[in-house]
Amino acid sequence: MYGLTEADLDIQARARSFTDELIPFEVTAELADGELPAPVTEKHAARARELGLCATNMPAELGGGGCTALQQVLVQEQVGRVTNALAWAASTPPSWLPSVATPDQIERYVRPAIRGEREECYAITEEGAGSDVAAIEATARADGDGYLLNGVKWHVTSFNTADFAFFQAKLDGGPHHGEHAMFLVDLPSPGVSVVRTPAYTHTISHHHPIVAFTDVRVPAASLVGAEGDGMAFAYEWFRFERLMVAARCLGAAERLTAEMTAFAAERRAGGRPISEFGLVGAMLADSLTELYAARALTYETARGIDSGADVKVAHAQCSMAKLYCSEMAGRVADRAVQVFGGRGYMRENVAERFYRELRVERIWEGTSEVQRAIIASQMVKRGPAALA
């Protein structure tokens, strides 16, 4: 299927098996504010490592999976079939870091993250700077043999489970004044504090608090790359995350399509399965058709990356995949709720959970509107044929 190799099919099957093990825990997590007992979550993380599903995006020479972009998509597609972020156990540490990390950073952050011993979070977004990363106001000022970091960051996903953060700031003073820089900040650290932890639409154990960094001192060794490099790292991270968002949306849409098809074949109204009613059948048909198209787009984008596509073409194509797949999955979830009827409005129902969870896929890692702007810009610069 889709020209997958034996290695591709093998890792896809392992990821599917892992997800099938997680699905029975969804309702328990949903009704417990996303939390499962620590021994259970530890067992899930160990199982993901056992199956080779962690750090698939990291170099093999450092202990990572060394997987192709397509294989990473195949894994994330399968884990996207489970709700409540249970599949975040199949972790993906920052794949952009090894090529720019110092030997010390490799040993202190990269290798432990690959082994599952450390976990990161990103402190980039601010109240006035979301998809427009260039608008951040956080600062980093050279001070003696280190830097002082200041700023308030929003939506710091997984801050409650992370033990280090990537902090992006504008340099205050020096030859690179006003340019972006990225820093590693160990957690906890003096000066790092949670302002508040908002409640979000989804029900998962990973929080997204607002976090203040007040005169946080870090050594010069915490600088990632060089001063002025911060935006380049953010763009590479966005490309990876957007493609993985697309992949997880494929998995969610597959699960929803399967669940609502089975229900529509069984549920009867007027003595007939509701699947025989044209308006219901149309919702099933549209969902599968859109899933098929979205999968082809996402797989092709991954194959392009594996074959060395121009980075700006890949950037636009990752935006295309994220845009189409996130909006497709939202439509499928809406139809699934409708097909399930009253059941689809119950939190114990997969359609209800995905209906809430998938909404953010059109927002984080760049809104749908930002993706359209990126795609249109590259179309004008390169011509439509370069992208499709």
Side-chain angles (χ1 to χ4, degrees):
M1 182 176 66
Y2 298 104
L4 301 181
T5 66
E6 287 300 318
D8 297 338
L9 292 169
D10 175 66
I11 197 167
Q12 180 188 55
R14 280 183 274 137
R16 190 172 189 88
S17 173
F18 176 62
T19 304
D20 288 343
E21 293 176 23
L22 297 178
I23 286 173
F25 293 91
E26 289 176 325
V27 175
T28 301
E30 176 63 32
L31 300 181
D33 293 327
E35 301 283 348
L36 291 174
V40 174
T41 57
E42 291 166 6
K43 181 179 178 181
H44 291 166
R47 180 65 171 151
R49 290 192 295 273
E50 176 189 346
L51 292 170
L53 303 177
C54 292
T56 57
N57 59 328
M58 300 299 278
E61 59 269 25
L62 294 177
C67 294
T68 66
L70 178 59
Q71 288 168 348
Q72 294 170 47
V73 162
L74 294 173
V75 170
Q76 292 300 307
E77 178 181 11
Q78 291 305 315
V79 301
R81 294 168 49 241
V82 67
T83 64
N84 301 91
L86 299 183
W88 287 17
S91 58
T92 52
S95 54
W96 56 268
L97 183 57
S99 64
V100 297
T102 64
D104 175 66
Q105 290 169 350
I106 292 287
E107 295 305 317
R108 291 180 59 205
Y109 298 98
V110 176
R111 289 186 185 275
I114 290 172
R115 293 193 297 264
E117 298 166 1
R118 301 200 72 173
E119 181 181 352
E120 81 286 352
C121 63
Y122 282 83
I124 297 180
T125 300
E126 299 176 6
E127 183 176 12
S131 297
D132 180 12
V133 179
I136 64 173
E137 296 181 353
T139 62
R141 178 170 56 85
D143 185 74
D145 59 354
Y147 294 86
L148 283 180
L149 311 180
N150 282 278
V152 178
K153 297 296 187 176
W154 282 48
H155 314 305
V156 185
T157 299
S158 299
F159 181 84
N160 63 311
T161 59
D163 67 353
F164 70 97
F166 290 100
F167 180 89
Q168 188 156 335
K170 287 182 177 176
L171 292 159
D172 181 12
H176 296 280
H177 176 78
E179 296 181 26
H180 286 242
M182 184 85 79
F183 298 87
L184 288 156
V185 181
D186 289 317
L187 300 174
S189 281
V192 180
S193 60
V194 173
V195 177
R196 65 185 180 91
T197 302
Y200 284 76
T201 299
H202 55 214
T203 310
I204 68 175
S205 62
H206 294 255
H207 300 166
H208 319 272
I210 299 169
V211 181
F213 292 75
T214 307
D215 287 335
V216 177
R217 177 176 290 278
V218 296
S222 291
L223 175 67
V224 181
E227 291 187 352
D229 286 350
M231 285 300 290
F233 305 146
Y235 288 141
E236 187 169 346
W237 174 59
F238 277 139
R239 279 193 295 277
F240 170 77
E241 284 294 326
R242 287 166 183 168
L243 186 60
M244 297 305 116
V245 164
R248 290 190 292 272
C249 286
L250 296 179
E254 179 193 336
R255 170 91 181 278
L256 288 165
T257 301
E259 296 268 6
M260 68 170 150
T261 300
F263 179 79
E266 180 181 320
R267 176 68 168 169
R268 304 180 74 83
R272 300 160 54 195
I274 63 172
S275 60
E276 294 183 5
F277 290 89
L279 294 177
V280 174
M283 287 191 280
L284 303 180
D286 286 346
S287 296
L288 186 62
T289 301
E290 291 188 49
L291 170 59
Y292 188 43
R295 183 176 281 141
L297 167 61
T298 305
Y299 285 20
E300 186 64 19
T301 299
R303 287 194 172 101
I305 293 171
D306 287 331
S307 64
D310 178 271
V311 68
K312 291 189 176 179
V313 169
H315 196 79
Q317 289 177 336
C318 287
S319 288
M320 292 165 67
K322 198 255 188 193
L323 170 66
Y324 186 75
C325 292
S326 64
E327 298 204 341
M328 174 277 300
R331 290 190 293 271
V332 171
D334 185 76
R335 294 180 194 125
V337 170
Q338 199 70 14
V339 169
F340 278 106
R343 291 171 174 80
Y345 208 60
M346 299 165 69
R347 288 174 64 190
E348 64 193 50
N349 185 280
V350 65
E352 190 276 343
R353 295 194 300 278
F354 268 131
Y355 184 77
R356 285 183 287 114
E357 291 187 12
L358 286 167
R359 185 61 184 87
V360 75
E361 308 294 6
R362 288 178 269 167
I363 298 172
W364 59 12
E365 323 310 357
T367 64
S368 289
E369 291 71 31
V370 165
Q371 307 314 318
R372 289 185 170 96
I374 291 169
I375 297 162
S377 174
Q378 288 300 312
M379 288 171 67
V380 170
K381 290 176 182 176
R382 296 168 177 270
L387 306 185

